[in-house]
Amino acid sequence: MSKGLIFSGIQPTGNLHLGNYLGAIRNWVALQDEFDCLFCVVDLHAITVEQDPAELRRATVELAAGLIAAGIDPEKNILFNQALNPNHAELAWLFNCVARIGWLNRMTQFKEKAGKHRENATVGLYDYPVLMAADILAYRATHVPVGEDQKQHLELTRDIAQAFNSQFGKDVFPLPEPQIFGAATRVMSLRDGTKKMSKSDSSDYSRINMTDGPDEVALKIRKAKTDPEPIPEKVEDLGDRPEAKNLIGIMAALTGRTAQDVTSDYAGKGFGDFKKGLTEVAVEVLGGVGAEYQRLMADPEHVQAVLARGGEKARALSAPVLQDAYDVMGFLGVKRPY
Ligand code: TYM
């Protein structure tokens, strides 16, 4: 029995990394047996920053292959790229006319991404969270598994749904719940424990990619920034050691234990020993994914066909929702083809 409908998305920009895996994908894999799920490669979001067309095509197939390799089953779930369902962009326009500039002005991700060159950022980057609300609500999804960094966008989604329903006097949209799972909702860079592990970091040593082989994983963990202090008995005593905290958090997430369990195991030891243990665990968890990914990438057309099938299902599922939105808003004669 399904308990609800899940929607989640991931941008095809650069490599899939350990942060995406521990913060999101691993949870998606676990949820696919319990819920009906849509998993979306959000290509329309990727063009909010500069994108090269050939790169976008490549990254879209690679990401889809990475998700399947990580355990997302395209037979059980709807796996597709966002541009295959125009209903997302259409609903985003309707929501643009409900959402308020003041709400978007509060979004910290826009501030971070636009940086000092705010005036030069695209309108799309500013409007990004409204499209995200449309992604979710086009299916009336009830649950959204994401990492901590997306929480504010989810709150905006709920605000938009609520404002729409109250403005038009009908509960067209549910208020979706974020699902943020325990450990490693924020995996940090291996080079700087105060920065999020990110696909867009120019240093490949800052992240472990899902497709890295055992040698690369070992090298990156060996080179990961740490400090010369030993690991304390109590996790609180890690104090202001962001890199140490991050590696311990990663170990905890990979092994399904608490950070306190990990510090107890390694109490009094230095990071040399710890890194050996972490490498073993990381290679074990990621090993199979890399091999399966290589197998899938040998036939990119098959991956594209999988996305196309998902796109068809996604369009069919969202059509009645769009119809309801148009009807309740008073548009004349709109009949959704899909
Ligand atoms: P994106 O592509 O940046 O990241 C995909 C998912 O991975 C999580 N994540 C992390 N978790 C822990 N530590 C990290 N270092 C880390 N980096 C990324 C993110 O929280 C996310 O869950 N806006 C979204 C994509 C999106 C979406 C949606 C998500 C578009 N529409 C609708 C949910 C529902 C994003 O940029 O994710």
Side-chain angles (χ1 to χ4, degrees):
M1 257 305 265
S2 176
K3 291 184 184 163
L5 182 66
I6 281 188
F7 183 98
S8 201
I10 182 162
Q11 293 196 59
T13 39
N15 290 328
L16 209 55
H17 56 72
L18 194 64
N20 301 131
Y21 181 66
L22 295 175
I25 299 161
R26 189 174 64 156
N27 303 322
W28 299 2
V29 173
L31 290 163
Q32 64 184 350
D33 294 326
E34 253 181 274
F35 291 82
D36 291 327
C37 303
L38 294 115
F39 296 122
C40 185
V41 176
V42 292
D43 46 10
L44 296 172
H45 276 110
I47 61 163
T48 56
V49 293
E50 212 168 298
Q51 276 293 323
D52 169 63
E55 175 61 20
L56 181 62
R57 270 191 288 274
R58 188 188 65 80
T60 303
V61 174
E62 286 185 1
L63 179 54
L67 293 176
I68 300 169
I72 300 295
D73 181 349
E75 301 301 323
K76 263 192 215 160
N77 310 290
I78 300 181
L79 176 66
F80 69 112
N81 53 306
Q82 197 182 19
L84 294 180
N85 186 1
N87 288 336
H88 294 228
E90 256 187 75
L91 186 59
W93 177 255
L94 304 185
F95 286 166
N96 274 335
C97 301
V98 171
R100 304 290 141 160
I101 288 175
W103 302 352
L104 290 179
N105 281 345
R106 288 199 286 274
M107 295 295 116
T108 52
Q109 186 165 300
F110 173 74
K111 289 181 202 159
E112 273 163 29
K113 288 202 173 172
K116 291 193 201 87
H117 311 289
R118 206 170 159 144
E119 295 295 308
N120 208 27
T122 65
V123 176
L125 187 66
Y126 185 68
D127 201 31
Y128 178 114
V130 177
L131 179 58
M132 188 163 155
D135 295 339
I136 298 164
L137 296 172
Y139 306 94
R140 298 195 173 108
T142 52
H143 296 81
V144 187
V146 281
E148 184 74 37
D149 61 333
Q150 297 300 315
K151 203 169 157 198
Q152 196 185 30
H153 289 162
L154 259 292
E155 279 157 15
L156 183 86
T157 300
R158 292 167 62 90
D159 288 344
I160 291 176
Q162 194 154 36
F164 187 102
N165 292 344
S166 94
Q167 188 173 337
F168 299 106
K170 191 176 168 203
D171 284 343
V172 177
F173 298 108
L175 307 191
E177 295 288 339
Q179 293 176 300
I180 297 174
F181 294 89
T185 50
R186 203 171 170 84
V187 177
M188 310 310 273
S189 157
L190 299 182
R191 309 299 295 162
D192 177 351
T194 62
K195 263 173 54 188
K196 194 172 76 164
M197 184 178 284
S198 157
K199 290 175 256 198
S200 48
D201 195 314
S202 58
S203 166
D204 202 49
Y205 285 106
S206 69
R207 63 185 160 259
I208 295 175
N209 300 309
M210 302 276 298
T211 51
D212 285 344
D215 295 345
E216 278 162 303
V217 173
L219 181 64
K220 287 177 177 177
I221 293 179
R222 205 162 56 241
K223 281 182 167 274
K225 188 173 167 200
T226 42
D227 53 47
E229 301 295 314
I231 296 172
E233 170 72 44
K234 291 221 164 64
V235 74
E236 308 84 81
D237 295 339
L238 278 168
D240 188 23
R241 297 168 66 188
E243 285 81 18
K245 277 189 187 157
N246 186 37
L247 291 184
I248 284 170
I250 291 175
M251 178 69 129
L254 283 170
T255 53
R257 302 165 75 223
T258 65
Q260 181 55 64
D261 292 337
V262 176
T263 51
S264 302
D265 277 1
Y266 284 92
K269 295 196 175 141
F271 272 95
D273 279 339
F274 177 86
K275 284 179 169 182
K276 283 191 198 118
L278 183 60
T279 302
E280 269 172 36
V281 173
V283 166
E284 194 184 314
V285 174
L286 299 181
V289 178
E292 180 61 6
Y293 171 81
Q294 301 301 344
R295 194 187 68 76
L296 287 161
M297 282 310 290
D299 187 2
E301 269 147 38
H302 168 74
V303 177
Q304 198 179 335
V306 167
L307 291 174
R309 274 203 304 280
E312 252 172 64
K313 291 187 210 157
R315 289 195 295 269
L317 197 61
S318 58
V321 183
L322 268 279
Q323 186 69 53
D324 271 5
Y326 274 114
D327 287 347
V328 82
M329 289 178 91
F331 288 101
L332 188 64
V334 175
K335 284 278 165 276
R336 301 295 306 158
Y338 54 70

